[in-house]
Amino acid sequence: MASQSVYAPPGTMTGYDWTARIRCIPSELRTNFYVYIFLGPIPEPPTDLITHPNYVGSFYTYSNTSTSAIAKQRSQGGSSSHSGSLVEGFVNLSRALVERGGFQTLEPENVVPYLKNNLNWCLEKGIERVNLHDLPSLEVMVLEMLLTQGPEDDIPKMGPPKEHPAITRGKEGGAK
C-alpha cells in the first residue's frame, strides 16, 4: 500500500493484490495432484519444484477414486469419469511480484505484461509430471483486487476481484 489515489479522499492509500485462481475437475485425472505456479520458466524434472527460485505456490486437489466411492457416485446418478465437481484454489502472486519481479508498486499497467510473459504452471501427481492436456477443465485465471485504506481504517479494504483473462489465454490450462 504505497500510492496516494486521486480517486479516493485525501489520506487514503491504495494498492493492488494479485492472485492466480485455479479451477479444475480433479476426477479427470482420477488421482490426487498438485498445480504448481511459477514466475519464470518451469524447472525440468527431477528438480524439487517447491525449492526452485521460480516457485510461487501450489494448489493440491484430492480425487476420491476408490471403487466404493465410484460405486456410490454411480448409484446417485453420477458417472465416475468426468462428472466430478469443479474445485478452485488460489495462489497469491503479490509477494513474488515484489521480491522476484522487482516491482515497487503493483499497478496493472506494469504487472499485466510481466505476468503475461512470466506466469507459468504445471501439474504433478506424486513425483510424475502430468501433461496439461490431460486435465481439460484446468483454468488458471489472474485476479486483481484494489486495496484501499483510509486514515481511520485498521486494515485495507479489498475491492471486488477483476479478472485478467488476457494474461493466461492461449496457454494450455489458461483462461477459456
Side-chain angles (χ1 to χ4, degrees), residues 61-74:
T61 64
Y62 175 76
S63 179
N64 190 349
T65 58
S66 70
T67 305
S68 61
I70 292 170
K72 181 178 178 184
Q73 188 176 23
R74 284 185 180 156

Side-chain angles (χ1 to χ4, degrees), residues 13-146:
M13 302 299 284
T14 62
Y16 294 91
D17 189 51
W18 295 87
T19 300
R21 181 186 67 207
I22 303 155
R23 288 182 174 167
C24 63
I25 300 172
S27 62
E28 290 177 341
L29 286 181
R30 307 187 98 204
T31 188
N32 306 333
F33 60 92
Y34 284 92
V35 180
Y36 291 97
I37 302 293
F38 299 91
L39 285 181
I42 299 169
E44 293 298 320
T47 304
D48 181 12
L49 297 180
I50 63 171
T51 61
H52 193 275
N54 293 344
Y55 172 78
V56 177
S58 59
F59 171 58
Y60 181 74
T61 64
Y62 175 76
S63 179
N64 190 349
T65 58
S66 70
T67 305
S68 61
I70 292 170
K72 181 178 178 184
Q73 188 176 23
R74 284 185 180 156
S75 72
Q76 295 173 347
S79 158
S80 62
S81 59
H82 297 290
S83 68
S85 299
L86 182 72
V87 297
E88 72 179 9
F90 301 87
V91 173
N92 188 275
L93 304 172
S94 296
R95 175 172 277 171
L97 285 166
V98 171
E99 292 175 356
R100 292 184 216 136
F103 293 98
Q104 297 298 312
T105 60
L106 299 176
E107 278 77 16
E109 60 270 14
N110 299 320
V111 172
V112 169
Y114 178 84
L115 288 176
K116 197 169 188 175
N117 291 322
N118 292 286
L119 183 66
N120 293 293
W121 52 90
C122 69
L123 305 174
E124 272 196 1
K125 56 182 180 180
I127 58 170
E128 176 187 342
R129 191 73 51 94
V130 178
N131 287 319
L132 293 172
H133 69 267
D134 291 341
L135 187 63
S137 64
L138 178 64
E139 181 181 45
V140 177
M141 173 74 73
V142 174
L143 305 176
E144 160 207 330
M145 281 77 57
L146 177 65

Side-chain angles (χ1 to χ4, degrees), residues 155-175:
I155 59 172
K157 294 177 182 158
M158 188 174 289
K162 177 183 177 185
E163 293 182 345
H164 284 274
I167 292 173
T168 62
R169 187 172 285 131
K171 294 181 179 183
E172 198 160 12

Side-chain angles (χ1 to χ4, degrees), residues 4-14 148:
Q4 174 71 39
S5 173
V6 296
Y7 302 106
T12 299
M13 302 299 284
T14 62
T148 58

